[in-house]
Amino acid sequence: MNVLTKPFGAGIVEALSLPQFVQVAHNLVAAKFDLMKFTPAKHILDSALASGQLNPGGHVIESSSGTFALALSVLCSLYDLRLTLVTGPTSQIVRWRLENLGAVLHTVHASNNCEGGIQQARLQVLAELRSSMPDTFWPQQYTNPLNSLSYKPIAEKVILTQPKIDSIVGTVGSGGSLVGIASILRHENPDLEVIAVDHNRSVIFGAQAKRISKMCRETFEQILAMGAGIPMGNVDFELVDEVHWVPVPKMIQKVHDFHRRTGMLVGPSSGAALAVAEWRAAQAPSRNVLTIFPDHGVRYGETIFNPIWLDNWSKDLARDWGMPSDISSTDEVSDGWCRFKWGRRKYRDVTGTDPAPRPNGYNP
């Protein structure tokens, strides 16, 4: 069944499905997406339509404020599906794009430091909406295994077009892209080093930082594109060799530096990945490193590319955040750039507990 309802749909799908490969250094290549979550969103919707979980002309509902929301909006427009989104704070351009594409938005403006942060607050609203909309399809991007599996063609393209990859560096939000690409690459190369990059205020890898920068604390929900206040079911912890927690000012410094050098506009999660990937590539010049840039920077025009917004954080942005500091426990994550040897272990074997949401009132 051809679900595309617009004659130009196939070209759009092809343009958004695959990344460009950008040579950043002699041993570092970036898979640069315009809209990375288009890949899992399309795979999940196509599977639901094929199985009958979602009917033609049906109604999709999801919690997302960023690239997954944009991807669903594009696809639901192309497929002639209705879409309801529960979002957090969004920039004016993102809100315009979502609504212009036909999505109906329900905005959760802040978590108020509730357990699980803004993601949990959004999921609560989502549950309430679903109870009154029983015929909706929920993609469940945080836990749906199709999220990770959708990246198989991209990993295969890496294998076909790039030199043998020794290390992959990727930020972690839902966990789909890093896990999906790395699992295929490791099948080809069992020695592949997998480096996950997280936000200092995130709980995905068990951190409970007692102190983070003011910028990390106060912009986490505003420019959230990585990290989370709740566990993410798609994260395969036993795939991961090491974890880096990168502070927001470091991410933004790297984004600005990358634009100054290349003219390319990317978002803060790409900046975080690039900071770690460049560090790793410089450490081992004989190793080939792959990193992932999840989206274009246009959605951050009101924040990290806005001189007025940046002036509010001049002190944090002027600081030299340096190189990563090695830590021996996730309890030691702090306001700086921290690096921890995860060692392909289960979450409980590292932290002594099971994954859990951010505690109520957590605000270091």
Tab-separated table of all heavy atoms in Angstrom, residues 244-298:
chain	number	residue	atom	x	y	z
A	244	HIS	N	29.999	10.390	28.344
A	244	HIS	CA	30.470	11.752	28.611
A	244	HIS	C	29.254	12.619	28.942
A	244	HIS	O	28.235	12.551	28.258
A	244	HIS	CB	31.181	12.338	27.390
A	244	HIS	CG	32.510	11.734	27.111
A	244	HIS	ND1	33.682	12.466	27.107
A	244	HIS	CD2	32.868	10.459	26.811
A	244	HIS	CE1	34.697	11.671	26.824
A	244	HIS	NE2	34.223	10.448	26.630
A	245	TRP	N	29.360	13.414	29.984
A	245	TRP	CA	28.353	14.423	30.301
A	245	TRP	C	28.963	15.783	29.944
A	245	TRP	O	29.992	16.171	30.496
A	245	TRP	CB	27.989	14.384	31.779
A	245	TRP	CG	27.213	13.165	32.168
A	245	TRP	CD1	25.858	13.035	32.211
A	245	TRP	CD2	27.732	11.893	32.603
A	245	TRP	NE1	25.494	11.780	32.634
A	245	TRP	CE2	26.627	11.049	32.875
A	245	TRP	CE3	29.028	11.384	32.768
A	245	TRP	CZ2	26.772	9.738	33.318
A	245	TRP	CZ3	29.174	10.080	33.193
A	245	TRP	CH2	28.065	9.271	33.469
A	246	VAL	N	28.337	16.458	28.998
A	246	VAL	CA	28.890	17.711	28.461
A	246	VAL	C	27.990	18.873	28.876
A	246	VAL	O	26.792	18.857	28.599
A	246	VAL	CB	28.996	17.652	26.925
A	246	VAL	CG1	29.531	18.969	26.372
A	246	VAL	CG2	29.897	16.492	26.502
A	247	PRO	N	28.526	19.908	29.523
A	247	PRO	CA	27.701	21.049	29.928
A	247	PRO	C	27.227	21.866	28.731
A	247	PRO	O	27.919	21.961	27.706
A	247	PRO	CB	28.637	21.858	30.832
A	247	PRO	CG	30.013	21.462	30.423
A	247	PRO	CD	29.933	20.037	29.972
A	248	VAL	N	26.057	22.462	28.870
A	248	VAL	CA	25.460	23.247	27.781
A	248	VAL	C	26.402	24.319	27.241
A	248	VAL	O	26.512	24.483	26.017
A	248	VAL	CB	24.119	23.861	28.233
A	248	VAL	CG1	23.608	24.881	27.213
A	248	VAL	CG2	23.080	22.768	28.430
A	249	PRO	N	27.099	25.102	28.087
A	249	PRO	CA	27.992	26.132	27.513
A	249	PRO	C	29.039	25.547	26.578
A	249	PRO	O	29.371	26.160	25.560
A	249	PRO	CB	28.630	26.774	28.748
A	249	PRO	CG	27.688	26.492	29.864
A	249	PRO	CD	27.087	25.160	29.555
A	250	LYS	N	29.554	24.364	26.907
A	250	LYS	CA	30.532	23.707	26.035
A	250	LYS	C	29.889	23.346	24.695
A	250	LYS	O	30.500	23.513	23.631
A	250	LYS	CB	31.085	22.448	26.712
A	250	LYS	CG	32.099	21.666	25.888
A	250	LYS	CD	33.422	22.388	25.791
A	250	LYS	CE	34.451	21.567	25.040
A	250	LYS	NZ	35.766	22.249	24.978
A	251	MET	N	28.651	22.844	24.745
A	251	MET	CA	27.938	22.513	23.510
A	251	MET	C	27.828	23.739	22.613
A	251	MET	O	28.085	23.677	21.403
A	251	MET	CB	26.523	22.015	23.814
A	251	MET	CG	26.392	20.831	24.710
A	251	MET	SD	24.619	20.479	24.973
A	251	MET	CE	24.702	19.481	26.463
A	252	ILE	N	27.418	24.855	23.203
A	252	ILE	CA	27.174	26.064	22.416
A	252	ILE	C	28.479	26.639	21.877
A	252	ILE	O	28.550	27.081	20.720
A	252	ILE	CB	26.400	27.093	23.253
A	252	ILE	CG1	25.000	26.533	23.572
A	252	ILE	CG2	26.293	28.430	22.530
A	252	ILE	CD1	24.185	27.397	24.492
A	253	GLN	N	29.523	26.621	22.703
A	253	GLN	CA	30.828	27.061	22.215
A	253	GLN	C	31.235	26.260	20.980
A	253	GLN	O	31.744	26.812	19.999
A	253	GLN	CB	31.877	26.895	23.317
A	253	GLN	CG	31.757	27.889	24.466
A	253	GLN	CD	32.697	27.539	25.605
A	253	GLN	OE1	33.244	26.439	25.673
A	253	GLN	NE2	32.892	28.484	26.520
A	254	LYS	N	31.018	24.956	21.022
A	254	LYS	CA	31.410	24.096	19.902
A	254	LYS	C	30.546	24.360	18.670
A	254	LYS	O	31.052	24.382	17.532
A	254	LYS	CB	31.320	22.624	20.312
A	254	LYS	CG	31.822	21.636	19.269
A	254	LYS	CD	33.231	21.938	18.809
A	254	LYS	CE	34.268	21.760	19.893
A	254	LYS	NZ	35.642	21.963	19.357
A	255	VAL	N	29.242	24.595	18.857
A	255	VAL	CA	28.355	24.923	17.738
A	255	VAL	C	28.809	26.206	17.057
A	255	VAL	O	28.883	26.294	15.819
A	255	VAL	CB	26.898	25.064	18.224
A	255	VAL	CG1	26.025	25.703	17.157
A	255	VAL	CG2	26.329	23.708	18.610
A	256	HIS	N	29.122	27.232	17.872
A	256	HIS	CA	29.565	28.506	17.313
A	256	HIS	C	30.901	28.346	16.590
A	256	HIS	O	31.108	28.925	15.513
A	256	HIS	CB	29.685	29.549	18.421
A	256	HIS	CG	28.358	29.965	18.981
A	256	HIS	ND1	28.239	30.859	20.032
A	256	HIS	CD2	27.088	29.626	18.652
A	256	HIS	CE1	26.961	31.041	20.310
A	256	HIS	NE2	26.245	30.310	19.491
A	257	ASP	N	31.798	27.588	17.174
A	257	ASP	CA	33.099	27.351	16.546
A	257	ASP	C	32.933	26.607	15.220
A	257	ASP	O	33.586	26.933	14.220
A	257	ASP	CB	33.978	26.539	17.501
A	257	ASP	CG	35.291	26.108	16.863
A	257	ASP	OD1	36.131	26.988	16.601
A	257	ASP	OD2	35.467	24.899	16.619
A	258	PHE	N	32.044	25.612	15.202
A	258	PHE	CA	31.812	24.831	13.982
A	258	PHE	C	31.232	25.719	12.881
A	258	PHE	O	31.626	25.616	11.716
A	258	PHE	CB	30.874	23.659	14.291
A	258	PHE	CG	30.707	22.694	13.157
A	258	PHE	CD1	31.783	21.962	12.674
A	258	PHE	CD2	29.457	22.497	12.578
A	258	PHE	CE1	31.624	21.062	11.622
A	258	PHE	CE2	29.288	21.598	11.527
A	258	PHE	CZ	30.375	20.884	11.059
A	259	HIS	N	30.326	26.605	13.250
A	259	HIS	CA	29.761	27.523	12.254
A	259	HIS	C	30.830	28.471	11.722
A	259	HIS	O	30.893	28.760	10.528
A	259	HIS	CB	28.605	28.315	12.858
A	259	HIS	CG	27.961	29.256	11.885
A	259	HIS	ND1	28.291	30.593	11.798
A	259	HIS	CD2	27.030	29.037	10.913
A	259	HIS	CE1	27.578	31.155	10.842
A	259	HIS	NE2	26.808	30.249	10.296
A	260	ARG	N	31.690	28.959	12.621
A	260	ARG	CA	32.754	29.880	12.225
A	260	ARG	C	33.704	29.203	11.235
A	260	ARG	O	34.189	29.822	10.291
A	260	ARG	CB	33.506	30.344	13.475
A	260	ARG	CG	34.491	31.482	13.266
A	260	ARG	CD	34.836	32.159	14.588
A	260	ARG	NE	35.100	31.205	15.653
A	260	ARG	CZ	34.356	31.083	16.759
A	260	ARG	NH1	33.284	31.836	16.928
A	260	ARG	NH2	34.661	30.205	17.692
A	261	ARG	N	33.935	27.912	11.413
A	261	ARG	CA	34.879	27.184	10.561
A	261	ARG	C	34.259	26.694	9.255
A	261	ARG	O	34.946	26.577	8.239
A	261	ARG	CB	35.450	25.985	11.323
A	261	ARG	CG	36.410	26.357	12.436
A	261	ARG	CD	37.077	25.122	13.021
A	261	ARG	NE	36.202	24.334	13.881
A	261	ARG	CZ	35.993	23.030	13.741
A	261	ARG	NH1	36.554	22.359	12.753
A	261	ARG	NH2	35.206	22.384	14.588
A	262	THR	N	32.953	26.366	9.296
A	262	THR	CA	32.342	25.681	8.151
A	262	THR	C	31.124	26.395	7.566
A	262	THR	O	30.721	26.074	6.438
A	262	THR	CB	31.887	24.266	8.563
A	262	THR	OG1	30.801	24.382	9.499
A	262	THR	CG2	33.036	23.479	9.183
A	263	GLY	N	30.501	27.304	8.336
A	263	GLY	CA	29.259	27.920	7.896
A	263	GLY	C	28.047	27.037	8.101
A	263	GLY	O	26.926	27.416	7.745
A	264	MET	N	28.220	25.853	8.701
A	264	MET	CA	27.103	24.930	8.924
A	264	MET	C	26.437	25.230	10.259
A	264	MET	O	27.108	25.425	11.279
A	264	MET	CB	27.577	23.470	8.897
A	264	MET	CG	28.061	23.022	7.545
A	264	MET	SD	28.484	21.260	7.526
A	264	MET	CE	29.056	21.083	5.838
A	265	LEU	N	25.099	25.241	10.240
A	265	LEU	CA	24.316	25.574	11.424
A	265	LEU	C	23.734	24.287	12.004
A	265	LEU	O	22.904	23.633	11.371
A	265	LEU	CB	23.196	26.531	11.024
A	265	LEU	CG	22.618	27.450	12.100
A	265	LEU	CD1	23.665	28.460	12.552
A	265	LEU	CD2	21.386	28.176	11.552
A	266	VAL	N	24.191	23.908	13.192
A	266	VAL	CA	23.689	22.700	13.854
A	266	VAL	C	23.242	23.058	15.265
A	266	VAL	O	23.533	24.139	15.775
A	266	VAL	CB	24.762	21.585	13.898
A	266	VAL	CG1	25.146	21.156	12.487
A	266	VAL	CG2	26.001	22.037	14.670
A	267	GLY	N	22.527	22.154	15.908
A	267	GLY	CA	21.993	22.397	17.236
A	267	GLY	C	22.935	21.985	18.346
A	267	GLY	O	24.017	21.433	18.106
A	268	PRO	N	22.545	22.239	19.615
A	268	PRO	CA	23.433	21.969	20.744
A	268	PRO	C	23.766	20.504	20.950
A	268	PRO	O	24.873	20.176	21.399
A	268	PRO	CB	22.670	22.541	21.948
A	268	PRO	CG	21.259	22.690	21.496
A	268	PRO	CD	21.302	22.915	20.031
A	269	SER	N	22.848	19.593	20.618
A	269	SER	CA	23.199	18.181	20.761
A	269	SER	C	24.294	17.791	19.777
A	269	SER	O	25.171	16.983	20.098
A	269	SER	CB	21.961	17.294	20.584
A	269	SER	OG	21.317	17.571	19.367
A	270	SER	N	24.266	18.387	18.586
A	270	SER	CA	25.367	18.165	17.632
A	270	SER	C	26.665	18.738	18.180
A	270	SER	O	27.741	18.146	18.010
A	270	SER	CB	25.041	18.809	16.288
A	270	SER	OG	23.892	18.242	15.705
A	271	GLY	N	26.572	19.889	18.854
A	271	GLY	CA	27.761	20.479	19.469
A	271	GLY	C	28.352	19.591	20.538
A	271	GLY	O	29.579	19.453	20.659
A	272	ALA	N	27.493	18.960	21.328
A	272	ALA	CA	27.966	18.039	22.369
A	272	ALA	C	28.672	16.843	21.745
A	272	ALA	O	29.765	16.440	22.188
A	272	ALA	CB	26.790	17.582	23.226
A	273	ALA	N	28.049	16.259	20.725
A	273	ALA	CA	28.654	15.111	20.052
A	273	ALA	C	29.983	15.488	19.408
A	273	ALA	O	30.967	14.739	19.496
A	273	ALA	CB	27.693	14.559	19.002
A	274	LEU	N	30.024	16.662	18.786
A	274	LEU	CA	31.245	17.098	18.111
A	274	LEU	C	32.375	17.337	19.097
A	274	LEU	O	33.532	16.979	18.826
A	274	LEU	CB	30.969	18.366	17.305
A	274	LEU	CG	32.153	18.928	16.515
A	274	LEU	CD1	32.673	17.922	15.504
A	274	LEU	CD2	31.755	20.225	15.811
A	275	ALA	N	32.071	17.926	20.248
A	275	ALA	CA	33.107	18.175	21.247
A	275	ALA	C	33.787	16.867	21.652
A	275	ALA	O	35.027	16.774	21.702
A	275	ALA	CB	32.507	18.864	22.469
A	276	VAL	N	32.980	15.846	21.917
A	276	VAL	CA	33.535	14.555	22.346
A	276	VAL	C	34.222	13.857	21.176
A	276	VAL	O	35.311	13.283	21.334
A	276	VAL	CB	32.424	13.671	22.944
A	276	VAL	CG1	32.979	12.295	23.319
A	276	VAL	CG2	31.813	14.337	24.179
A	277	ALA	N	33.624	13.916	19.989
A	277	ALA	CA	34.201	13.226	18.837
A	277	ALA	C	35.539	13.825	18.429
A	277	ALA	O	36.492	13.099	18.105
A	277	ALA	CB	33.216	13.273	17.669
A	278	GLU	N	35.641	15.159	18.439
A	278	GLU	CA	36.919	15.787	18.099
A	278	GLU	C	37.981	15.435	19.129
A	278	GLU	O	39.149	15.195	18.778
A	278	GLU	CB	36.751	17.299	17.997
A	278	GLU	CG	36.023	17.738	16.740
A	278	GLU	CD	36.009	19.252	16.553
A	278	GLU	OE1	36.073	19.984	17.566
A	278	GLU	OE2	35.932	19.691	15.399
A	279	TRP	N	37.591	15.410	20.398
A	279	TRP	CA	38.534	15.024	21.457
A	279	TRP	C	39.037	13.602	21.228
A	279	TRP	O	40.234	13.327	21.302
A	279	TRP	CB	37.850	15.157	22.813
A	279	TRP	CG	38.613	14.548	23.943
A	279	TRP	CD1	39.642	15.111	24.646
A	279	TRP	CD2	38.426	13.228	24.495
A	279	TRP	NE1	40.110	14.227	25.605
A	279	TRP	CE2	39.371	13.063	25.527
A	279	TRP	CE3	37.541	12.188	24.221
A	279	TRP	CZ2	39.450	11.897	26.277
A	279	TRP	CZ3	37.623	11.020	24.962
A	279	TRP	CH2	38.574	10.893	25.975
A	280	ARG	N	38.100	12.668	20.916
A	280	ARG	CA	38.478	11.268	20.723
A	280	ARG	C	39.353	11.108	19.476
A	280	ARG	O	40.336	10.369	19.481
A	280	ARG	CB	37.219	10.400	20.588
A	280	ARG	CG	37.528	8.901	20.551
A	280	ARG	CD	38.046	8.438	21.894
A	280	ARG	NE	38.502	7.051	21.877
A	280	ARG	CZ	39.770	6.681	21.842
A	280	ARG	NH1	40.740	7.616	21.777
A	280	ARG	NH2	40.107	5.410	21.884
A	281	ALA	N	38.997	11.799	18.400
A	281	ALA	CA	39.771	11.694	17.159
A	281	ALA	C	41.184	12.227	17.338
A	281	ALA	O	42.147	11.674	16.796
A	281	ALA	CB	39.047	12.450	16.042
A	282	ALA	N	41.326	13.304	18.120
A	282	ALA	CA	42.653	13.881	18.369
A	282	ALA	C	43.482	12.975	19.267
A	282	ALA	O	44.708	12.907	19.134
A	282	ALA	CB	42.508	15.260	19.007
A	283	GLN	N	42.817	12.279	20.175
A	283	GLN	CA	43.516	11.349	21.077
A	283	GLN	C	44.159	10.195	20.331
A	283	GLN	O	45.216	9.707	20.715
A	283	GLN	CB	42.499	10.753	22.081
A	283	GLN	CG	42.474	11.376	23.437
A	283	GLN	CD	41.819	10.400	24.413
A	283	GLN	OE1	41.008	9.561	24.033
A	283	GLN	NE2	42.170	10.514	25.670
A	284	ALA	N	43.450	9.730	19.293
A	284	ALA	CA	43.899	8.531	18.574
A	284	ALA	C	43.837	8.794	17.071
A	284	ALA	O	42.875	8.403	16.405
A	284	ALA	CB	43.027	7.340	18.950
A	285	PRO	N	44.839	9.456	16.510
A	285	PRO	CA	44.799	9.852	15.093
A	285	PRO	C	44.682	8.691	14.115
A	285	PRO	O	44.263	8.889	12.973
A	285	PRO	CB	46.130	10.588	14.901
A	285	PRO	CG	46.528	11.026	16.272
A	285	PRO	CD	46.027	9.972	17.200
A	286	SER	N	45.010	7.473	14.558
A	286	SER	CA	44.926	6.321	13.656
A	286	SER	C	43.548	5.669	13.669
A	286	SER	O	43.274	4.755	12.874
A	286	SER	CB	45.977	5.279	14.040
A	286	SER	OG	45.733	4.781	15.350
A	287	ARG	N	42.650	6.125	14.556
A	287	ARG	CA	41.307	5.554	14.647
A	287	ARG	C	40.314	6.396	13.843
A	287	ARG	O	40.381	7.621	13.859
A	287	ARG	CB	40.833	5.485	16.104
A	287	ARG	CG	41.647	4.555	16.980
A	287	ARG	CD	41.130	4.572	18.415
A	287	ARG	NE	39.788	4.020	18.533
A	287	ARG	CZ	39.517	2.734	18.714
A	287	ARG	NH1	40.507	1.855	18.779
A	287	ARG	NH2	38.263	2.305	18.838
A	288	ASN	N	39.396	5.728	13.160
A	288	ASN	CA	38.341	6.408	12.431
A	288	ASN	C	37.115	6.580	13.328
A	288	ASN	O	36.594	5.594	13.862
A	288	ASN	CB	37.953	5.621	11.176
A	288	ASN	CG	39.043	5.631	10.131
A	288	ASN	OD1	39.652	6.667	9.869
A	288	ASN	ND2	39.313	4.481	9.537
A	289	VAL	N	36.690	7.822	13.472
A	289	VAL	CA	35.600	8.156	14.387
A	289	VAL	C	34.398	8.638	13.579
A	289	VAL	O	34.533	9.452	12.659
A	289	VAL	CB	36.029	9.243	15.390
A	289	VAL	CG1	34.889	9.587	16.351
A	289	VAL	CG2	37.273	8.796	16.172
A	290	LEU	N	33.220	8.137	13.938
A	290	LEU	CA	31.954	8.588	13.355
A	290	LEU	C	31.141	9.271	14.446
A	290	LEU	O	31.036	8.768	15.565
A	290	LEU	CB	31.164	7.394	12.823
A	290	LEU	CG	29.722	7.683	12.357
A	290	LEU	CD1	29.720	8.482	11.055
A	290	LEU	CD2	28.932	6.376	12.183
A	291	THR	N	30.572	10.434	14.133
A	291	THR	CA	29.658	11.075	15.065
A	291	THR	C	28.360	11.410	14.347
A	291	THR	O	28.266	11.322	13.118
A	291	THR	CB	30.275	12.328	15.713
A	291	THR	OG1	29.447	12.743	16.805
A	291	THR	CG2	30.423	13.475	14.724
A	292	ILE	N	27.334	11.778	15.122
A	292	ILE	CA	25.987	11.981	14.585
A	292	ILE	C	25.519	13.391	14.916
A	292	ILE	O	25.532	13.799	16.081
A	292	ILE	CB	25.001	10.952	15.187
A	292	ILE	CG1	25.486	9.522	14.935
A	292	ILE	CG2	23.598	11.160	14.621
A	292	ILE	CD1	24.760	8.465	15.755
A	293	PHE	N	25.120	14.131	13.887
A	293	PHE	CA	24.502	15.453	14.051
A	293	PHE	C	23.001	15.292	13.809
A	293	PHE	O	22.571	15.116	12.660
A	293	PHE	CB	25.071	16.447	13.039
A	293	PHE	CG	26.509	16.842	13.256
A	293	PHE	CD1	27.181	17.602	12.315
A	293	PHE	CD2	27.189	16.477	14.410
A	293	PHE	CE1	28.499	17.980	12.503
A	293	PHE	CE2	28.523	16.847	14.609
A	293	PHE	CZ	29.173	17.603	13.652
A	294	PRO	N	22.167	15.408	14.840
A	294	PRO	CA	20.748	15.043	14.689
A	294	PRO	C	19.891	15.977	13.852
A	294	PRO	O	18.922	15.527	13.249
A	294	PRO	CB	20.238	15.013	16.137
A	294	PRO	CG	21.454	14.859	16.979
A	294	PRO	CD	22.531	15.589	16.241
A	295	ASP	N	20.176	17.290	13.850
A	295	ASP	CA	19.278	18.166	13.099
A	295	ASP	C	19.945	19.481	12.747
A	295	ASP	O	21.025	19.807	13.237
A	295	ASP	CB	17.972	18.423	13.870
A	295	ASP	CG	18.139	19.315	15.090
A	295	ASP	OD1	19.262	19.416	15.608
A	295	ASP	OD2	17.147	19.911	15.537
A	296	HIS	N	19.261	20.239	11.898
A	296	HIS	CA	19.680	21.584	11.521
A	296	HIS	C	19.489	22.521	12.709
A	296	HIS	O	18.648	22.283	13.581
A	296	HIS	CB	18.850	22.045	10.322
A	296	HIS	CG	19.392	23.238	9.619
A	296	HIS	ND1	19.209	24.519	10.082
A	296	HIS	CD2	20.120	23.346	8.470
A	296	HIS	CE1	19.789	25.363	9.259
A	296	HIS	NE2	20.358	24.687	8.268
A	297	GLY	N	20.217	23.606	12.748
A	297	GLY	CA	20.144	24.522	13.886
A	297	GLY	C	19.031	25.546	13.827
A	297	GLY	O	18.903	26.371	14.744
A	298	VAL	N	18.177	25.499	12.781
A	298	VAL	CA	17.201	26.570	12.595
A	298	VAL	C	16.246	26.704	13.778
A	298	VAL	O	15.794	27.805	14.106
A	298	VAL	CB	16.419	26.364	11.275
A	298	VAL	CG1	15.553	25.111	11.333
A	298	VAL	CG2	15.581	27.589	10.945
